[in-house]
Amino acid sequence: MNPVTQFAQSRLAWLILAGTALGLELCALFFQYVMKLDPCVMCIYQRLAIFGILAAGLIGIIGHKNRFMRLIAILGWSVSAAWGLKLALELVDMQTNPSPFSTCSFLPEFPTWMPLHEWLPSLFMPTGMCNDIPWEMFGITMGQWMIGAFTAYLIALAVFAIPALSKTR
């Protein structure tokens, strides 16, 4: 087994995936509760996408020796990262091209059977506006940083998906 395949099927690879997602979640909570930056509904959706990547990492940690479990983790990772990138691109577009016709809603539109903003308002209740740019680092907005993060997750997925799903010997 080549080193990339060996790594992609290891618990460490999935631990790194889950760890980076957990780090981003903790950063989001730091921005919200320490720096007092209000998350908009698009930020909340991106937070949920990161939770999806975290869940995929946890599935991979638990089932790293099982090909089917790795497949489930890869699917969760890919859907979450692609959805997150789509959301981040939409948010940056709203911020850089403000329009009264292109705004986000005040409340998240979660399914009625899973109202996360009611169950866990401290994590999933938006309190900010999508058009606001409350924070920048090196002239790059939070939304633009998230485009980079989701792109990095998709690049890592492209590199590790096939090796992670190949048969173990």
Side-chain angles (χ1 to χ4, degrees), residues 55-75:
L58 294 175
I59 291 168
I61 289 168
I62 294 166
H64 72 282
K65 292 184 180 181
N66 183 303
R67 192 174 182 193
F68 180 72
M69 292 295 283
R70 290 192 310 266
L71 173 64
I72 297 299
I74 292 282
L75 289 174

Side-chain angles (χ1 to χ4, degrees), residues 6-39:
Q6 196 170 6
F7 178 71
Q9 294 180 8
S10 72
R11 179 173 276 146
L12 177 62
W14 296 101
L15 188 62
I16 291 170
L17 179 68
T20 59
L22 180 61
L24 286 173
E25 292 294 353
L26 292 174
C27 283
L29 294 174
F30 176 82
F31 284 125
Q32 183 176 353
Y33 290 107
V34 176
M35 294 181 67
K36 304 292 184 197
L37 302 178
D38 295 329

Side-chain angles (χ1 to χ4, degrees), residues 3-155:
V4 174
T5 302
Q6 196 170 6
F7 178 71
Q9 294 180 8
S10 72
R11 179 173 276 146
L12 177 62
W14 296 101
L15 188 62
I16 291 170
L17 179 68
T20 59
L22 180 61
L24 286 173
E25 292 294 353
L26 292 174
C27 283
L29 294 174
F30 176 82
F31 284 125
Q32 183 176 353
Y33 290 107
V34 176
M35 294 181 67
K36 304 292 184 197
L37 302 178
D38 295 329
C40 68
V41 72
M42 297 297 278
C43 298
I44 296 298
Y45 291 154
Q46 289 176 67
R47 185 178 290 183
L48 188 58
I50 293 293
F51 270 119
I53 294 169
L54 175 60
L58 294 175
I59 291 168
I61 289 168
I62 294 166
H64 72 282
K65 292 184 180 181
N66 183 303
R67 192 174 182 193
F68 180 72
M69 292 295 283
R70 290 192 310 266
L71 173 64
I72 297 299
I74 292 282
L75 289 174
W77 178 2
S78 61
V79 168
S80 296
W83 183 56
L85 179 59
K86 177 188 170 292
L87 293 167
L89 288 167
E90 287 176 10
L91 176 60
V92 169
D93 184 53
M94 276 187 229
Q95 291 174 337
T96 56
N97 302 310
S99 164
F101 306 108
S102 175
T103 60
C104 58
S105 62
F106 293 109
L107 288 175
E109 297 172 11
F110 293 125
T112 55
W113 52 269
M114 191 176 71
L116 294 175
H117 63 294
E118 293 173 9
W119 294 346
L120 292 167
S122 60
L123 288 177
F124 296 112
M125 181 60 79
T127 53
M129 297 300 300
C130 292
N131 294 357
D132 293 342
I133 301 176
W135 179 87
E136 288 185 29
M137 186 168 76
F138 308 120
I140 301 170
T141 67
M142 196 177 303
Q144 292 167 330
W145 280 107
M146 289 309 296
I147 289 172
F150 286 118
T151 300
Y153 279 124
L154 288 171
I155 290 169

